[in-house]
């Protein structure tokens, strides 16, 4: 299935080795949050056991140690996304805050009534609502790029939306509900040709593929630590230094203007990044891609199962509906079999509306999942048909 030693990797994740309802846990909800390797857990514990102190401007040893680890994590983030400078890496609570920060700070400085922001029809609510609220406040028009039945953006429609009132394009790199990987380099090229900056919601792509912000050409990019095997409450907004330096503060107070940060979270994020770098993002992407293809072939061969989202370029997400049962009933039966998937609209209600469905069941893959776990999923789906069919 690929060049990573998944059985050895699974030993790094203590949580995976338990039973749920008397069955081995099969954790397939990685788009919601990922599990944490022992090295991440140890890094957080080590901070609190040995180095806990507030960061920056402390003259005592513990504060210096905490500051060194906190800033070392920032350098790990810079390296991981190949950002030009550490100062372009801003810690936030997660992708939601990263998107809100750009909407609030960049938006309020540069947008005026009648301006337009372009998003897509497959966005997570975190990349819809901030722009809706700003739209109400400032009189901004939100333009929405549609997508086809396979879940692929209509780029001609996008290009046609770009005009002299367009002030920002903010798009998801990989859809959490469909798995679609959008052609963001092309989107950036088209937007930049019109002088329009681009923000990437990379919450679902940074954990699963190599990301190079300089190669992508974006102007902002945000992601959440808890989705790339790091702790909750910590994430990153990357932005071009010239843009960030021109933006007004998002929050004010002491400590680098935003109060005491999530020091342990940042250190845990740094440990997660080093863990992933040791395995290799190219290898992880290839492994998850092969696993997703394996699952897609099996699920699409089951009568009464329909996969929602069949883009040619797609990450490790298998959203599906069944003739036999509602998504929530699917999820309940799967849980009884020890299998964790997410059911609902996945904070992507426009996607559900596009397909005319209320909800899907979504299996989303991580680097520790296996073909045997996909087989268990298929067996449990057969169980759903037995119970509800
Ligand atoms: C594409 C995308 N953008 C933004 C967010 C928000 O990230 P947060 O700030 O860390 O919450 C999510 C979370 N997606 C999901 C959270 O739970 N199930 C999901 O699919 C997401 O998938």
């Amino acid at each position: 299935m690929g060049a990573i030693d998944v059985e050895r990797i699974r030993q790094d994740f203590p949580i995976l080795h338990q039973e749920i309802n008397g069955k081995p846990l099969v954790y397939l909800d990685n788009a919601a949050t990922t599990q944490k390797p022992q090295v991440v857990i140890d890094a957080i514990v080590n901070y609190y056991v040995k180095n806990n102190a507030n960061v920056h401007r402390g003259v005592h040893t513990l504060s210096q140690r905490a500051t060194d680890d906190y800033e070392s994590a920032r350098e790990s983030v810079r390296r991981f996304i190949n950002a030009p400078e550490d100062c372009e890496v801003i810690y936030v609570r997660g992708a939601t805050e990263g998107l809100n920060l750009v909407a609030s700070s960049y938006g309020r400085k540069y947008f005026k009534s009648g301006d337009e922001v372009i998003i897509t029809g497959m966005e997570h609510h975190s990349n819809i609502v901030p722009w809706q609220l700003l739209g109400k406040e400032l009189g901004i028009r939100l333009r929405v790029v549609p997508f086809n039945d396979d879940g692929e953006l209509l780029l001609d429609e996008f290009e046609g939306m770009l005009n002299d009132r367009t002030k920002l394009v903010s798009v998801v790199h990989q859809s959490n509900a469909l798995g679609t990987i959008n052609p963001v380099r092309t989107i950036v090229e088209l937007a930049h040709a019109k002088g329009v900056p681009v923000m990437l919601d990379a919450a679902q792509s940074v954990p699963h593929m190599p990301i190079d912000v300089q190669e992508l050409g974006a102007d902002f990019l945000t992601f959440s630590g808890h989705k790339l095997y790091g702790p909750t409450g910590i994430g990153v907004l990357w932005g071009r230094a010239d843009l960030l330096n021109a933006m007004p503060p998002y929050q004010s107070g002491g400590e680098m203007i935003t109060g005491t940060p999530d020091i342990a979270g940042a250190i845990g994020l740094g440990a997660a990044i080093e863990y992933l770098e040791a395995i290799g993002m190219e290898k992880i992407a290839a492994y998850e891609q092969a696993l997703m293809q394996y699952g897609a072939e099996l699920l699409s061969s089951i009568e009464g199962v329909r996969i929602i989202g069949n883009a040619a370029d797609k990450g490790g997400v298998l959203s599906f509906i069944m003739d036999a049962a509602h998504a929530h009933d699917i999820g309940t039966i799967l849980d009884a079999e020890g299998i964790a998937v997410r059911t609902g609209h996945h904070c992507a209600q426009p996607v559900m509306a596009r397909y005319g469905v209320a909800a899907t069941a979504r299996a989303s893959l991580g680097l520790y999942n296996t073909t045997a776990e996909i087989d268990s999923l298929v067996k449990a789906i057969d169980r759903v048909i037995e119970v509800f069919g």
Side-chain angles (χ1 to χ4, degrees), residues 18-304:
Q18 62 178 297
E19 291 193 344
I20 300 293
N21 299 318
K23 306 279 181 37
L25 168 63
V26 175
Y27 185 78
L28 296 172
D29 194 19
N30 295 284
T33 199
T34 51
Q35 301 304 349
K36 318 310 169 188
Q38 191 63 49
V39 289
V40 169
I41 300 165
D42 292 346
I44 293 167
V45 170
N46 184 64
Y47 165 69
Y48 282 121
V49 168
K50 294 182 182 171
N51 298 330
N52 180 52
N54 212 329
V55 292
H56 301 141
R57 292 183 295 282
V59 292
H60 63 78
T61 300
L62 287 184
S63 178
Q64 195 50 56
R65 282 188 205 157
T67 301
D68 290 348
D69 289 348
Y70 182 74
E71 292 304 329
S72 171
R74 195 189 307 270
E75 167 55 21
S76 294
V77 172
R78 185 209 62 75
R79 183 183 63 243
F80 195 56
I81 62 174
N82 193 33
E85 302 174 66
D86 276 359
C87 67
E88 299 176 324
V89 173
I90 298 173
Y91 288 126
V92 291
R93 285 175 299 166
T96 299
E97 186 168 47
L99 290 157
N100 276 277
L101 191 158
V102 171
S104 173
S105 177
Y106 184 86
R108 288 204 176 90
K109 175 162 184 173
Y110 293 109
F111 297 174
K112 64 182 185 307
S113 179
D115 287 344
E116 298 182 353
V117 171
I118 297 177
I119 62 172
T120 79
M122 65 174 80
E123 301 302 329
H124 183 277
H125 293 168
S126 294
N127 196 29
I128 300 175
V129 179
W131 308 114
Q132 288 177 322
L133 295 177
L134 198 64
K136 282 185 178 175
E137 180 186 331
L138 300 180
I140 309 299
R141 182 187 178 192
L142 205 47
R143 308 291 299 272
V144 183
V145 183
F147 54 89
N148 63 25
D149 290 345
D150 285 333
E152 297 163 328
L153 289 180
L154 303 181
L155 285 182
D156 290 348
E157 301 254 347
F158 165 66
E159 192 169 10
M161 289 179 185
L162 288 164
N163 63 65
D164 57 9
R165 293 182 306 282
T166 312
K167 288 298 185 295
L168 184 72
V169 173
S170 188
V171 298
V172 65
H173 189 180
Q174 176 175 316
S175 162
N176 69 314
L178 301 170
T180 303
I181 299 172
N182 285 317
V184 290
R185 290 174 194 79
T186 302
I187 290 170
V188 168
E189 284 168 15
L190 291 170
H192 283 183
K194 301 282 187 177
V196 178
V198 178
M199 167 140 211
L200 296 183
D201 173 356
Q204 297 293 347
S205 54
V206 167
H208 302 290
M209 67 178 75
I211 294 291
D212 180 332
V213 293
Q214 298 183 67
E215 194 266 334
L216 290 174
D219 303 280
F220 298 103
L221 178 143
T222 191
F223 63 92
S224 302
H226 70 97
K227 296 193 190 288
L228 67 140
Y229 313 95
T232 53
I234 190 74
V236 169
L237 170 69
W238 168 82
R240 289 200 348 246
D242 60 311
L243 295 177
L244 293 174
N245 292 335
M247 286 158 60
Y250 172 54
Q251 292 176 328
S252 59
E255 182 96 37
M256 305 287 283
I257 78 166
T258 58
T260 299
D262 181 354
I263 303 162
I267 292 169
L269 175 60
I273 286 173
E274 289 173 8
Y275 178 80
L276 292 173
E277 286 178 318
I279 297 168
M281 294 310 292
E282 294 280 1
K283 288 183 178 179
I284 291 170
Y287 177 78
E288 292 182 8
Q289 182 63 216
L291 201 56
M292 184 276 291
Q293 294 290 357
Y294 178 80
E297 285 166 23
L298 287 178
L299 262 62
S300 53
S301 69
I302 304 173
E303 189 178 346

